[in-house]
Amino acid sequence: MGSVLKRQTVIEREDIAELARKASILLAIEDAVDEIALELGIENPGYSIEWPEAADTIRVYIDADAGCLREKVVDDLRIEVVCRRTEQNIRHIYREIALGMARKAAEILRQYVFGDREYIAIVLDSGSTIVLEGEPGKVVVPWIPKTFFTCHTPPHTQQPLFSRKDVESLIEILANRGFGSCVVTPYACLAVYRCGPFTLNDYFKLVSIARDYGYADKDVIDEAGLESVEGYIFS
């Protein structure tokens, strides 16, 4: 992505704000798990999340024998973290929230996919979505703190794939605790997102993809052996 921004629009939608709220809760859970793992000397702790619909309490179980207990409150929602043997189940929770943001951002950008200008939608942790328009060909995106997800429309492109700079932007989002990015074309959208805490191994693998391939489609993502990152195509 490159060139000068021409226009921006801020969109406020309750459905996107709710996804951002859930994403913020996942970050609070990550913080609590990291604090306990550091205290107990556990590297890369596995955990499961019990998140009943409309409940006021979320329970998180760290896969460990040692005793632990931690509580956090986020937006009147109580998060209880305890240690016990458990099977990890977090991938589908991350997937649901990340793909939810991808679908909403792609929906906003659909009206622009046949034009000669590039547009990007940026979902912030506040739930607001900023839509930026660039010069014909490309759009320069300044790094915006607290970005949860981005999606953009590469002009004159039918195949959904990430360019080298798109992969580099994705790395920056994930390294700053965002959730992913997507590319939307007239016929399909490729979303690449994290399905758990972003690992250092995956950071280096994505850097290698940007350097060695110069692009990333779903096949490249699938074959990279990523632990915490997935690719998904939807129409």
Side-chain angles (χ1 to χ4, degrees):
M1 293 181 282
S3 189
V4 180
L5 298 174
K6 298 287 289 183
R7 184 180 65 183
Q8 72 176 39
T9 304
V10 178
I11 297 174
E12 306 288 352
R13 285 178 38 170
E14 290 185 7
D15 53 352
I16 298 176
E18 177 61 15
L19 289 166
R21 185 186 74 87
K22 290 181 177 180
S24 295
I25 291 169
L26 286 181
L27 293 185
I29 291 172
E30 290 178 7
D31 288 340
V33 170
D34 285 346
E35 289 169 8
I36 291 175
L38 183 62
E39 291 174 5
L40 299 179
I42 303 172
E43 293 187 9
N44 302 319
Y47 58 97
S48 63
I49 301 174
E50 188 179 285
W51 193 337
E53 197 69 32
D56 60 1
T57 300
I58 295 174
R59 291 181 174 84
V60 181
Y61 303 106
I62 298 178
D63 187 20
D65 289 325
C68 67
L69 176 63
R70 188 66 49 87
E71 290 192 2
K72 281 180 173 282
V73 177
V74 180
D75 293 335
D76 297 324
L77 184 68
R78 190 166 76 252
I79 301 171
E80 295 180 355
V81 184
V82 298
C83 293
R84 76 175 196 189
R85 286 303 175 188
T86 185
E87 293 186 9
Q88 297 184 47
N89 72 340
I90 63 174
R91 295 181 76 90
H92 79 276
I93 297 173
Y94 278 81
R95 185 183 299 121
E96 179 181 345
I97 293 171
L99 283 179
M101 288 189 280
R103 291 182 187 279
K104 301 302 181 184
E107 178 184 305
I108 289 170
L109 295 179
R110 289 292 185 192
Q111 61 184 306
Y112 304 119
V113 295
F114 290 103
D116 63 352
R117 295 180 182 272
E118 187 168 4
Y119 289 81
I120 182 168
I122 304 171
V123 179
L124 303 178
D125 67 344
S126 64
S128 299
T129 302
I130 301 173
V131 179
L132 304 175
E133 173 194 351
E135 293 284 1
K138 298 187 177 184
V139 56
V140 167
V141 183
W143 168 246
I144 299 178
K146 300 183 178 180
T147 293
F148 270 173
F149 211 94
T150 67
C151 193
H152 77 282
T153 62
H156 315 300
T157 301
Q158 305 300 317
Q159 182 181 3
L161 57 80
F162 283 52
S163 68
R164 183 193 307 274
K165 291 193 175 185
D166 294 338
V167 177
E168 292 170 349
S169 295
L170 170 68
I171 293 169
E172 186 170 31
I173 291 168
L174 297 179
N176 284 279
R177 304 187 75 196
F179 288 80
S181 185
C182 63
V183 175
V184 57
T185 69
Y187 306 107
C189 178
L190 170 63
V192 182
Y193 53 90
R194 65 184 179 99
C195 46
F198 186 45
T199 67
L200 187 60
N201 283 342
D202 284 356
Y203 173 89
F204 288 118
K205 287 178 181 178
L206 288 174
V207 168
S208 294
I209 288 173
R211 181 189 65 231
D212 300 337
Y213 287 85
Y215 75 95
D217 59 12
K218 187 174 185 301
D219 289 341
V220 170
I221 295 297
D222 288 347
E223 294 168 6
L226 298 164
E227 304 164 334
S228 61
V229 177
E230 296 179 341
Y232 184 80
I233 291 180
F234 60 92
S235 58

